[in-house]
Amino acid sequence: MSLLQISEPGGRPVRRTDRKRAAGIDLGTTNSLIATDVNGEVRTLADADSAHLLPSAVHYRADGATTVGAAAKAQAAADPANVIVSVKRALGKSLDELEDSGDYRQYRFDSECEPGSPAFVTAAGVRNPVEVSADILKTLVQRAEARTGEAVEGAVITVPAYFNDAQRQQTRHAAELAGIRVLRLLNEPTAAAVAYGLDTQEQGNIIVFDLGGGTFDVSLLSLRKGVFEVLATGGDTALGGDDFDKAVAGWLADQCGLGGMDSIAARDYPAMLQAANRAREALSEAEQAELSWNGSSFTLSAAEFAELAAPLVRRTMLACRRVLRDARMETGAIDNVLLVGGATRMPLIRRAVADYFGREPLQDIDPDRVVAIGAGIQAEVLAGNKPAGDFLLLDVNPLSLGIETMGELVEKIIHRNTSIPVSKSQEFTTFKDGQTAMALHVVQGERELVGECRSLARFSLRGIPPMVAGAAKVKVTFQVDADGLLSVSAEEASTGRKAEVQVKPSYGLDLDQVEQMLKDSHEHARADMSARALREARLEATRLMEAIGAALEVDGELLETAERAAIDQALHALRQAMAEENAARIEERTEQLNHASEGFAERRMNMTVGAALRGESIDAIDERTE
Amino acid sequence: MLSIADNYFSQFELPVGYDIDLDRLNGQFRELQTIVHPDRYAAAEDEQRLQAIKLSSYLNEAYETLKSPLRRAGYLLQMQGVDIEQVEQSDLDPELLFEQLRLRESLAELPKDESALERLEELHHATSAKLAQRQREFADFLAEASLGQARKLFHELQFLTKLQAEIEKAEDAIV
Ligand SMILES: Nc1ncnc2c1ncn2[C@@H]1O[C@H](COP(=O)(O)OP(=O)(O)OP(=O)(O)O)[C@@H](O)[C@H]1O
Ligand SMILES: [Mg+2]
C-alpha cells in the first residue's frame, strides 16, 4: 500500500477508492461500541434504535438462535443460565478461578473442558469465553457494515491496559474467530487519551482514570507535539461497576435476612445484581434509592452506599498512587484528569479522584464513547487512510515478565512500565556436563518465586552442543511487540541454533491473583529476598561441588597430594555450611573451594573445552543434515 | 530509517556525561521514535516492519538506560571499559555495609501498620538525599576520570537504590 503511494507521481493523498474501511472496537465488560469514519470524522455508530452502546450480553436460546445486546440483557433474569454477561472478566481464566469467584454461579460449566479453558453449557450448546466475545464482535461489525455499506477490512480492538498476555491473546483470538483482521490491540486509557488529545490539542501530563463495568485502569501520559507517551500504567482487571453492584447485592441479601453474597441462589443472582445496579445508578442522581426484593422494600442512602464502596474506592486510589510513584511524579505535576467509563459517573468516585489529584476532573467528554473513538482514529492510521505523521502512540508493558531459573526463582527480564516494543536478552548456561537440552518457563508477575507468578508458557531448546557445565551460552530474547504480546526466542551462541515460541494462553492469569500477587509481593518482599539469597547460594555451591566431584573422578590423579588435600578440606567445609540456613557462610565457603581448586579447574577446563569444541562441530553438522 | 550511533549519548545528540538534560533526552527520543516506530510502517513490507520493531526496541532500551540515574551511571562506566558486574569485597566500604545493614534492620523492625508511615517517610527522604549527594560525587569522580572511585560509588548507588525500593515496598504494604 505505502509502496504504491510512494510510486505515484507527486505523492498524492490517498484516493477515496484506495481507502480501506477500518473500525475501532471497544469490547467492554458491560457495553461494547464500534467507531468508524463518517464523512471524514471518526464517530461511534448507533443501531436501528439509535443506541450506540451494545450491552455485552449474549443469549443462547433453546431453539439454537443467538441474540446479542439489549434483547439478550433483558432475558438475563428470566433465563439466567443461558444469558452470558460480563464475559470479558472470564477471559484468560481457569475453571477453578471462575467457580471460586462466585461471579458466574448462574452458569453451568462443561465438565469435559480443559481446566485451563472453561466453557459454558447453554441451551444452544457449549460456548467458551472467546466464542461469546466473538459473537459480540460480530454484531458490532455487522452494524458497521450495514451502516457504511462496506466490508470492514481491519479493526483496532481495545483492551484494559492492565490485561496480561493470556487475556490479550484471547481477545485477539475472539476477533479472529469473528473474522476480523486485527490491526492492533490498543490499551483503553491510551485510546481515550488519543481521542481527547487530538480533539483539544492539549499538551502536558494527563491522568486517564478508567473505571468501567468490569475493569479498572489508570494511566499517566505525557502529551507533546502529537506524541502520546505513556509514562506508567496500573490497575486491576477485576474491579469495576460489577463489584460495586456486588457490594450492594450483598447488603440487600443481608437486609432480606439471607447471609450475605454467598447465600444468593444461583438463579436469583442476575436479578438481584440488576436490582442492585439500578439502585446504585439511581444514587448518582439522588440521595437515596429504593430496592425491592421478594415483595419487601428497602432504602439505601448515599452515605450507606459510600461505606459499602469504600474498600473498592480505596483500591483505585492505591493504583493511582503506584502509577505516580512508578513515574516518579507528584500530583502537582498533573495537568488534567480524564474520567472514562460509566462507573466514573458515581459522585463518590469523582470526589475521591478530585481529592487525590487536587483538581476537578474534566467534565466535558463522553466517558462511554471516547475509547471507541480513539481506537477508530488509530485504525484509520494503521489502515493507511490517515497520514501517519499526525500522531504517535508510545505505550508500556503493564506487568513484569521473567523466566524461571534454577531453584524456582524468577529472573525478571522486562520490568513493568518499560516502553514497548522492547527486546531484552539474557544469557543462560548449562548446569551439567554434556547437557544438550534446556527447558524455559516464562512467567508474568512481580514476585520473586515462580510459584507466586503466573505461568505463561514453557518451551524447550534442543541441540545444545555437549560441553562442560557452564560452557554453552544460551541467549534468550524476550520481545514484546506494540500490541503488548510477548514472543520468546533462544539461541546457543556458539552454534546459532534457535528455538522460538509464541506464548500460548495455556491458562489465563487470575486477576484477583494478580492483585493478590502484587499485594503479597509487597508484604513478602523481605522474606523473598533472604529466601532468594539462600537458594542462590546453595545453587552456586551445588553446581561447584558437582563440577569438582566430576572432575576429580576423571582427572583426580593429576593433582598433587597437597592440592588434593586442600580441595577435600574445602569440600568438607562447604558441605557442613550447606546443612545450615546461612547464605553468607555458604557463599564464603564456596569462594574458598573455588580458590582451592582454581589451578586444577583451569588446567582441566582448557583441556576439556578443547575436546568438547572439536566434538561439537561434528555433532552440529550431523544435526543440521538430519 | 535510522543510523545507529557509537553510544546512547550520541544517539540522542547529548554530551557524554552523568549530568543530563532529561527534557532534551525525552525530546530527542520522541523525535527519533516518530521516524522508526512500527506504527509508521503498518502497511510496509514485512522486512521493513521487522526492522522498525528492532530499531524502535533499541531506542527504547537506549532511552530507559539514560533516563535511569543508576543505569546511566553503570552505562558510563561500561563505556570506559569498567566491569560493573563483578563486585569485590574491597569495593565496599565496611562502614557503608554496616550502615546498610542497620538501615535494613530498622526497616524490618518497624511495625506493619500506619504508625510506621512517618518513620518510613523519613527513611525515604534521607535515602533520597543521600542518593542525590552520591550522584553528585559520582559525576565529579567520573569527570576527573577517577574510575576506581566512581566504580565504588556506583555500587553504593546500587545499594541505596535497592534500599529505596524496599522502603517503597514497605510503604505499599501498609497503605
Ligand atoms: N449514572 C451512572 N451511575 C453509576 N454507574 C453508572 C452510571 N452509568 C453507568 N454506570 C456504570 O458503568 C458501568 C459500565 O461502564 P462502561 O460501559 O464504561 O463499562 P465497559 O466499558 O463495558 O467495561 P470495561 O471497560 O470495564 O470492560 C456499569 O457498571 C454501570 O452500572
Ligand atoms: Mg470500557
mmCIF file of all heavy atoms in Angstrom, chain B residues 75-84 147:
data_model
loop_
_atom_site.group_PDB
_atom_site.id
_atom_site.type_symbol
_atom_site.label_atom_id
_atom_site.label_comp_id
_atom_site.label_asym_id
_atom_site.label_seq_id
_atom_site.Cartn_x
_atom_site.Cartn_y
_atom_site.Cartn_z
ATOM 1 N N TYR B 75 26.167 2.489 32.718
ATOM 2 C CA TYR B 75 26.475 2.561 31.294
ATOM 3 C C TYR B 75 27.734 3.397 31.046
ATOM 4 O O TYR B 75 28.606 3.014 30.260
ATOM 5 C CB TYR B 75 25.265 3.154 30.547
ATOM 6 C CG TYR B 75 25.449 3.222 29.055
ATOM 7 C CD1 TYR B 75 25.450 2.054 28.284
ATOM 8 C CD2 TYR B 75 25.628 4.435 28.405
ATOM 9 C CE1 TYR B 75 25.626 2.105 26.913
ATOM 10 C CE2 TYR B 75 25.799 4.499 27.029
ATOM 11 C CZ TYR B 75 25.799 3.328 26.282
ATOM 12 O OH TYR B 75 25.967 3.381 24.936
ATOM 13 N N LEU B 76 27.841 4.524 31.744
ATOM 14 C CA LEU B 76 29.025 5.381 31.578
ATOM 15 C C LEU B 76 30.303 4.647 31.979
ATOM 16 O O LEU B 76 31.336 4.764 31.326
ATOM 17 C CB LEU B 76 28.864 6.649 32.421
ATOM 18 C CG LEU B 76 27.995 7.730 31.769
ATOM 19 C CD1 LEU B 76 27.485 8.712 32.803
ATOM 20 C CD2 LEU B 76 28.790 8.447 30.673
ATOM 21 N N LEU B 77 30.207 3.857 33.060
ATOM 22 C CA LEU B 77 31.392 3.092 33.475
ATOM 23 C C LEU B 77 31.743 2.053 32.423
ATOM 24 O O LEU B 77 32.910 1.869 32.080
ATOM 25 C CB LEU B 77 31.145 2.424 34.827
ATOM 26 C CG LEU B 77 31.129 3.376 36.028
ATOM 27 C CD1 LEU B 77 30.757 2.625 37.298
ATOM 28 C CD2 LEU B 77 32.495 4.044 36.192
ATOM 29 N N GLN B 78 30.705 1.382 31.920
ATOM 30 C CA GLN B 78 30.963 0.366 30.899
ATOM 31 C C GLN B 78 31.584 0.988 29.649
ATOM 32 O O GLN B 78 32.439 0.395 29.012
ATOM 33 C CB GLN B 78 29.673 -0.371 30.550
ATOM 34 C CG GLN B 78 29.333 -1.421 31.593
ATOM 35 C CD GLN B 78 27.981 -2.058 31.346
ATOM 36 O OE1 GLN B 78 27.049 -1.397 30.894
ATOM 37 N NE2 GLN B 78 27.864 -3.336 31.646
ATOM 38 N N MET B 79 31.143 2.192 29.329
ATOM 39 C CA MET B 79 31.741 2.885 28.175
ATOM 40 C C MET B 79 33.241 3.079 28.363
ATOM 41 O O MET B 79 34.003 3.137 27.407
ATOM 42 C CB MET B 79 31.084 4.262 27.981
ATOM 43 C CG MET B 79 29.797 4.223 27.171
ATOM 44 S SD MET B 79 29.031 5.862 27.087
ATOM 45 C CE MET B 79 30.159 6.705 25.981
ATOM 46 N N GLN B 80 33.650 3.196 29.636
ATOM 47 C CA GLN B 80 35.079 3.376 29.946
ATOM 48 C C GLN B 80 35.779 2.038 30.134
ATOM 49 O O GLN B 80 36.899 1.980 30.627
ATOM 50 C CB GLN B 80 35.238 4.168 31.252
ATOM 51 C CG GLN B 80 34.533 5.498 31.268
ATOM 52 C CD GLN B 80 35.377 6.576 30.616
ATOM 53 O OE1 GLN B 80 36.587 6.432 30.501
ATOM 54 N NE2 GLN B 80 34.737 7.631 30.177
ATOM 55 N N GLY B 81 35.067 0.961 29.842
ATOM 56 C CA GLY B 81 35.678 -0.352 29.977
ATOM 57 C C GLY B 81 35.709 -0.878 31.401
ATOM 58 O O GLY B 81 36.422 -1.833 31.708
ATOM 59 N N VAL B 82 34.942 -0.294 32.292
ATOM 60 C CA VAL B 82 34.922 -0.767 33.680
ATOM 61 C C VAL B 82 33.914 -1.910 33.796
ATOM 62 O O VAL B 82 32.788 -1.805 33.306
ATOM 63 C CB VAL B 82 34.526 0.377 34.640
ATOM 64 C CG1 VAL B 82 34.444 -0.134 36.069
ATOM 65 C CG2 VAL B 82 35.508 1.522 34.525
ATOM 66 N N ASP B 83 34.337 -2.997 34.433
ATOM 67 C CA ASP B 83 33.453 -4.138 34.647
ATOM 68 C C ASP B 83 32.602 -3.867 35.876
ATOM 69 O O ASP B 83 33.116 -3.784 36.987
ATOM 70 C CB ASP B 83 34.293 -5.409 34.843
ATOM 71 C CG ASP B 83 33.422 -6.623 35.086
ATOM 72 O OD1 ASP B 83 32.185 -6.490 35.031
ATOM 73 O OD2 ASP B 83 33.990 -7.706 35.336
ATOM 74 N N ILE B 84 31.290 -3.707 35.693
ATOM 75 C CA ILE B 84 30.445 -3.388 36.848
ATOM 76 C C ILE B 84 29.694 -4.607 37.370
ATOM 77 O O ILE B 84 28.974 -4.531 38.352
ATOM 78 C CB ILE B 84 29.432 -2.270 36.521
ATOM 79 C CG1 ILE B 84 28.594 -2.657 35.313
ATOM 80 C CG2 ILE B 84 30.149 -0.948 36.290
ATOM 81 C CD1 ILE B 84 27.375 -1.766 35.127
ATOM 82 N N LEU B 147 38.233 6.473 37.916
ATOM 83 C CA LEU B 147 37.289 5.391 37.639
ATOM 84 C C LEU B 147 37.101 4.442 38.808
ATOM 85 O O LEU B 147 36.014 3.943 39.053
ATOM 86 C CB LEU B 147 37.724 4.627 36.388
ATOM 87 C CG LEU B 147 37.653 5.461 35.104
ATOM 88 C CD1 LEU B 147 38.088 4.635 33.910
ATOM 89 C CD2 LEU B 147 36.241 5.994 34.890
#
